[in-house]
Amino acid sequence: MFEHGTNTKERNLQGGAITSVNIVVAHGLEARPLISMLELQPEKTDGRYLVYSNSAGATLIVSGMGRDAVIAATNYLGEQQRDEDDRLRGWLNLGIAGHRTAEIGSAWLANKITEQISGASAYPPQLLAGFASCKVITVDKPETAYPEDAVYEMEASAFYEVATKFSTAELVQVFKIISDNSSNPVNNIDLAMVPTWISTQENEILDLLSKLEFLVTEYNVSHSLSPAYESFCARYYLTVNQKIQLKRLCQRYRAMGREADLIAMSVSASGTGKQLLQDLDSQLNGVSSR
Amino acid sequence: MFSAIYIEQEVAEFERVRRLLDRFPQVPQVICERYGQIFNRKSQNFRLQKKSPALILAKKYGSLVLPAPAGYGFDESNSYYFSHMLNCIYDCRYCFLQGMYSSANYVLFVNYEDFESALEDKIIENDGAGVYYSGYDCDSLALEPISSFCRHFVPVFSKFPDATLEIRTKSTQIRCLLEQNVLDNCVIAMSFTSQQAAIQWEHKVPTLEKRIEALRKLQQAGWKIAIRFEPLVLDGKHGESYRSLFKSIFSSLDVDKIHSVSSGLFRMPVEFHKRIVKLYPDEELFARPTSVADGMIALKNEDEDLQLMEIERHLFEYISPQQYYRCA
Ligand code: SF4
């Protein structure tokens, strides 16, 4: 399985360095330990949601409980970040949950998410190694009987459905920490313990976030654009379609090891947008088999 | 080896499945309804998944033996392909599977007996003849220790001496073949590209030397072998890189006994190429100039015919033209 090198402790990863990951939690109590763990600061928003972020780019939103709330909050955050070009972000739904037998405070990565009311299931790709995984069942009312050997909670299915519209499924994960089980049922939860249960999993959470971030970064680097792209866009009037063509041309120059040519052209070129695209294309296509 | 194993509910109790799962107790095992829920989902990224693919155990419905694409094989007779598996444990950058599927997970269809009946029906329909290719949607041998594909399917063809089974592979997992009786109507076809291309684009694939060694052992044991030079990526250097490749291969084998040798240029459906470009915008191979004809995309090469002739000229220093065909 994909390990990408050393673990978090060895790399001494600091929460404040986590970038490009959105965390969606249902409740302020779940947010509290993450705010200090990731050195998050409150963001100014329109007041609909509490949103926190750190200087490196990690963002946390408090959605409220249940499927409708998480749909709205995940959409809200995704839409806010729409202008980030083609870059993707990781998405993590983190929160407390119940399980028939799992130990209180233990943590589980979802390998299957079933929405109880519809029976529909989704399967988050399991690219992040080293975490205990389990089926997650999203219910509309707290589950007290825990009929299946699964984690029960109230947001995951809705979160997953919406977050995968903003990112690719590999980068959308659900991580649940057990707050109740048959011996300590949901009505007896001591809410004051929520931050402690989450804090106790700090190493796991940071490890998970850093692995997620690693994949996000790799994706974004491989899809990044030459700075020449912005220079061209600033110098030429280009239609949406022409910008798409320009993007691909810039990628091709970089892939073919000719970014220096591209940058040189970005400061010297003149004429119309159409001519620019033709020039870039013919220069590239002049290089046939190598 | 696998990031997870997904098991269709319907096959969960298959003996073949139980045996397989017992070998991977440490891998998360997840029950699903149909494999398409995982494999055909939108919003997946083949490139990311390739880092840590999962195995999906499923049952294949519908047509199990299909007509081979035009120009795929060596024979004029009716040809078909069958895929007990989708996707491959290797990671060749030029592989069209990256554009064909949205998931890099491996699907293993475990209803071998259904494939077997479908093959038998098709062979009977063809009066006991026809060519049957395995390895179109996967590498036939690469997962042999887990799939036991050869162990199951090669003996099926012992009943039909006029039907030919071609097993296409880049794998050196040949023990299953060496341990069973040689079948005269079974051809093991090993694919090669130039050394330079292999280094650049064939990730996780056994080395050239190991593949040649596997072929040598198979030939020595009496198996029919074939060589597939695919995809040819022309480098404008008069086939020099192929010259050394041909020397390495043919100096190690009994050339007269080679069943067939073929070559095929890099090409794939335009739609697949588009999808692969989205996955690998930074890949030099896909940044090269291309040309499109009949819905297929190919690399644009100056003097393509000349370069191909040069390569073939080098090839015919070792094999006879009768042993050779060009893929369409
Ligand atoms: S060995 Fe064949 S099937 Fe496997 S990745 Fe390479 S080209 Fe694709």
Side-chain angles (χ1 to χ4, degrees), chain B residues 295-313:
Chain B
M296 299 293 276
I297 200 161
L299 298 177
K300 218 188 246 173
N301 294 299
E302 274 168 31
D303 305 328
E304 182 174 290
D305 287 342
L306 193 68
Q307 290 194 60
L308 268 178
M309 272 170 58
E310 297 264 24
I311 289 173
E312 287 170 349
R313 192 168 55 78

Side-chain angles (χ1 to χ4, degrees), chain A residues 1-2 111-112 123 126-127 133 164 168-170 218-219 222-223 248 251-252 255-256 285 287-288 290, chain B residues 3 28 30-32 37-38 43-45 47-49 51-52 235 277-278 281-282 284 286-287 289 302:
Chain A
M1 192 184 281
F2 173 55
N111 58 31
K112 174 174 182 174
Y123 301 83
Q126 300 290 293
L127 264 65
S133 69
T164 49
T168 180
E170 296 73 21
E218 199 174 89
Y219 176 94
S222 65
H223 287 71
R248 180 61 194 138
Q251 288 171 338
R252 287 180 62 200
M256 296 187 84
N285 288 341
V287 184
S288 57
R290 300 170 1 137
Chain B
S3 58
V30 184
I31 295 288
C32 64
Q37 291 177 308
I38 298 143
S43 297
Q44 302 198 82
N45 187 286
R47 180 175 181 170
L48 286 173
Q49 284 189 11
K51 289 177 176 300
S52 192
D235 59 6
V277 162
K278 281 201 182 127
D282 50 343
E284 184 267 338
F286 306 122
E302 274 168 31

Side-chain angles (χ1 to χ4, degrees), chain B residues 182-200:
Chain B
V182 170
L183 212 61
D184 215 35
N185 55 331
C186 175
V187 181
I188 319 300
M190 188 74 80
S191 305
F192 293 94
T193 56
S194 69
Q195 183 79 297
Q196 160 76 27
I199 291 167
Q200 202 172 344

Side-chain angles (χ1 to χ4, degrees), chain A residues 150-253:
Chain A
V151 165
Y152 287 86
E153 57 74 75
M154 297 174 71
E155 288 87 24
S157 65
F159 161 79
Y160 191 77
E161 190 178 334
V162 179
T164 49
K165 288 184 188 144
F166 295 108
S167 195
T168 180
E170 296 73 21
L171 305 180
V172 180
Q173 298 292 333
V174 168
F175 195 60
K176 296 288 166 178
I177 294 162
I178 302 304
S179 57
D180 52 279
N181 57 25
S182 326
S183 321
N184 304 277
V186 65
N187 346 337
N188 295 348
I189 292 183
D190 177 2
L191 288 177
M193 283 300 291
V194 172
T196 310
W197 290 323
I198 293 177
S199 295
T200 308
Q201 292 293 343
E202 176 165 345
N203 281 345
E204 290 268 295
I205 293 169
L206 287 180
D207 191 25
L208 179 67
L209 288 171
S210 72
K211 284 174 173 166
L212 195 53
E213 181 197 329
F214 183 89
L215 291 177
V216 173
T217 305
E218 199 174 89
Y219 176 94
N220 287 337
V221 166
S222 65
H223 287 71
S224 68
L225 276 173
S226 164
Y229 173 77
E230 286 304 332
S231 308
F232 285 127
C233 287
R235 292 180 56 153
Y236 292 88
Y237 170 76
L238 296 164
T239 64
V240 174
N241 195 21
Q242 284 174 327
K243 280 188 179 174
I244 293 170
Q245 289 177 51
L246 176 64
K247 226 176 236 184
R248 180 61 194 138
L249 282 163
C250 290
Q251 288 171 338
R252 287 180 62 200
Y253 270 82

